[in-house]
Amino acid sequence: MVEIELRKVYKSYGDERVIHGVDCRIADGEFLVIVGPSGCGKSTLLRMIAGLETITEGEISIGGRVVNDLEPAERDIAMVFQNYALYPHMSVYNNMAYGLKIRGMPKAEIETRVHKAAAMLELAEFLPRKPRQLSGGQRQRVAMGRAIVREPSVFLFDEPLSNLDAKLRVQMRLEIKKLQHGLGTTSVYVTHDQVEAMTLGHRLMVLNAGVVEQLDSPIELYERPASVFVAGFIGSPAMNFLAARVGADGATVALPGGDVLALPEGRFSAEADREVTLGIRPEHLELAGDGDGVAHLHTQVIEQLGADTLIHGHFGSDRTDLTVRLRGTVNLKPDQALPLRVAPEHLHLFDPGSGARLDTA
């Protein structure tokens, strides 16, 4: 049983603190994705788990053993990088076998492991080739194969799909998900791509400037984001945010244009007569019939995506920006006034100062 545990982990470079007291237990066989914008500290955190960065404060344990002072080779981990890090002069077979050879593993065992991994990754026919003869997706599979043959306790992935085009990224996401499901190895995966994070992870750790904003399942992050940061980062297109005010009875919220929405009964019972940041996801807005809408969107840009239509516009006297996502193809043009409605259960309220979610029940 191999768990990873981070206890009050800090990282500083001189006087600059970049990781702020991360606490996390990653269960045996779990696939944890660390996600956040560039520069938030996610790769630094992964490299501390790997032993490639020192820990300023706190402890990291792998399989119940504190590894703070252990070299990477002593941690029983395998890491997959975004740049593949393959030896160009070696064949695919030798790239995958190299780490086992330098450990002195018997030739028969090496051959068994390499061919098993190659079959799993559909690389068997490419074993004699050099990396330059492979596509980007094939090279990344070789990099994963090199990690798999080691049969480590933990896999670490540092943005492994960043150098691939959009179609290959989708394909490789499926490959990685099938691979982790089949192997059941504890894995930590770093990405800035929230679609990758949502589709791959059992749980997601959302980092913001070295602070864990939320650690939860993908669906919980989507449905109950803990902060404006998480709400804006998870979901595509991003959540709409509006300056609004909850009524004195706590049962309604007034929009910038003066329209009023009902709040779910009891969900925001502690919030009354106060300014709030109102969040509405684009996919939770829908077109209403004449006289049935709570707000009128003045359309500016229409994006026809085939399966969906994105409508960008503004509403209210302060011309608040708003994005609406509708299913299918919708015949609309710019400079139209569209009545919109939203179900109360899809509303999110946040504190305007701290950005924290207001309904925590």
Side-chain angles (χ1 to χ4, degrees):
M1 185 174 181
V2 179
E3 290 186 344
I4 303 173
E5 189 168 0
L6 287 73
R7 295 181 285 270
K8 302 293 183 187
V9 171
Y10 291 85
K11 176 65 179 179
S12 300
Y13 294 105
D15 295 331
E16 183 182 3
R17 179 154 281 175
V18 295
I19 299 292
H20 300 262
V22 173
D23 278 302
C24 176
R25 175 173 289 175
I26 306 164
D28 178 49
E30 183 177 6
F31 197 116
L32 178 78
V33 177
I34 304 174
V35 64
S38 297
C40 71
K42 54 189 183 296
S43 288
T44 300
L45 190 59
L46 188 78
R47 289 171 64 83
M48 286 195 287
I49 297 172
L52 301 174
E53 290 277 0
T54 57
I55 302 166
T56 304
E57 296 178 43
E59 283 186 347
I60 294 177
S61 66
I62 298 175
R65 179 179 61 156
V66 175
V67 298
N68 288 33
D69 299 321
L70 296 183
E71 294 296 320
E74 301 174 286
R75 299 190 182 202
D76 196 18
I77 57 143
M79 196 160 180
V80 180
F81 299 91
Q82 70 182 72
N83 63 355
Y84 319 137
L86 301 178
Y87 297 107
H89 62 288
M90 291 185 183
S91 67
V92 169
Y93 180 95
N94 286 327
N95 264 283
M96 292 172 65
Y98 182 72
L100 305 182
K101 289 178 179 179
I102 62 174
R103 288 161 61 183
M105 185 171 289
K107 184 177 180 181
E109 176 67 12
I110 292 173
E111 189 164 334
T112 298
R113 289 196 186 192
V114 170
H115 283 283
K116 181 181 176 182
M120 189 183 304
L121 294 165
E122 300 180 359
L123 288 171
E125 65 180 289
F126 304 110
L127 289 176
R129 298 190 186 181
K130 300 288 178 62
R132 66 176 179 274
Q133 297 172 297
L134 306 178
S135 68
Q138 290 163 348
R139 291 178 195 174
Q140 192 55 274
R141 289 210 299 273
V142 174
M144 288 193 291
R146 184 178 52 195
I148 291 168
V149 297
R150 294 181 55 190
E151 298 181 0
S153 297
V154 174
F155 285 126
L156 304 178
F157 298 87
D158 190 6
E159 305 213 42
L161 309 185
S162 295
N163 291 335
L164 305 181
D165 62 36
K167 184 177 180 180
L168 272 176
R169 287 172 77 97
V170 173
Q171 181 183 332
M172 289 304 301
R173 279 208 313 265
L174 294 174
E175 297 286 345
I176 291 172
K177 196 169 184 71
K178 287 191 292 185
L179 182 67
Q180 205 278 338
H181 179 75
L183 295 174
T185 305
T186 308
S187 302
V188 185
Y189 186 105
V190 159
T191 182
H192 65 274
D193 185 321
Q194 55 104 3
V195 175
E196 271 180 40
M198 291 286 287
T199 54
L200 286 173
H202 296 142
R203 287 191 301 160
L204 275 57
M205 176 190 289
V206 183
L207 271 188
N208 179 20
V211 175
V212 179
E213 290 270 343
Q214 192 168 356
L215 176 59
D216 226 319
S217 69
I219 294 303
E220 191 69 12
L221 286 167
Y222 175 81
E223 294 182 344
R224 295 183 57 78
S227 66
V228 166
F229 179 85
V230 175
F233 193 82
I234 299 297
S236 181
M239 183 181 285
N240 297 295
F241 296 110
L242 317 172
R245 185 173 188 84
V246 177
D249 60 358
T252 59
V253 61
L255 301 180
D259 295 297
V260 176
L261 297 176
L263 292 173
E265 186 175 352
R267 194 171 118 196
F268 301 103
S269 56
E271 310 307 326
D273 194 25
R274 61 167 293 176
E275 302 294 328
V276 296
T277 297
L278 176 68
I280 309 173
R281 292 202 180 277
E283 55 269 32
H284 292 151
L285 287 160
E286 58 183 36
L287 296 182
D290 289 338
D292 190 30
V294 296
H296 279 75
L297 176 70
H298 296 273
T299 62
Q300 294 175 296
V301 177
I302 313 296
E303 294 182 289
Q304 300 283 3
L305 304 178
D308 300 302
T309 299
L310 298 183
I311 308 167
H312 305 275
H314 59 80
F315 81 101
S317 56
D318 63 351
R319 299 170 67 86
T320 301
D321 290 333
L322 201 71
T323 298
V324 180
R325 183 175 195 159
L326 301 178
R327 296 298 300 269
T329 301
V330 183
N331 187 22
L332 295 173
K333 297 179 180 180
D335 298 320
Q336 288 183 259
L338 301 176
L340 301 174
R341 63 170 172 246
V342 59
E345 63 268 22
H346 291 312
L347 299 177
H348 304 264
L349 299 186
F350 303 95
D351 182 87
S354 67
R357 186 179 186 85
L358 291 177
D359 65 321
T360 56

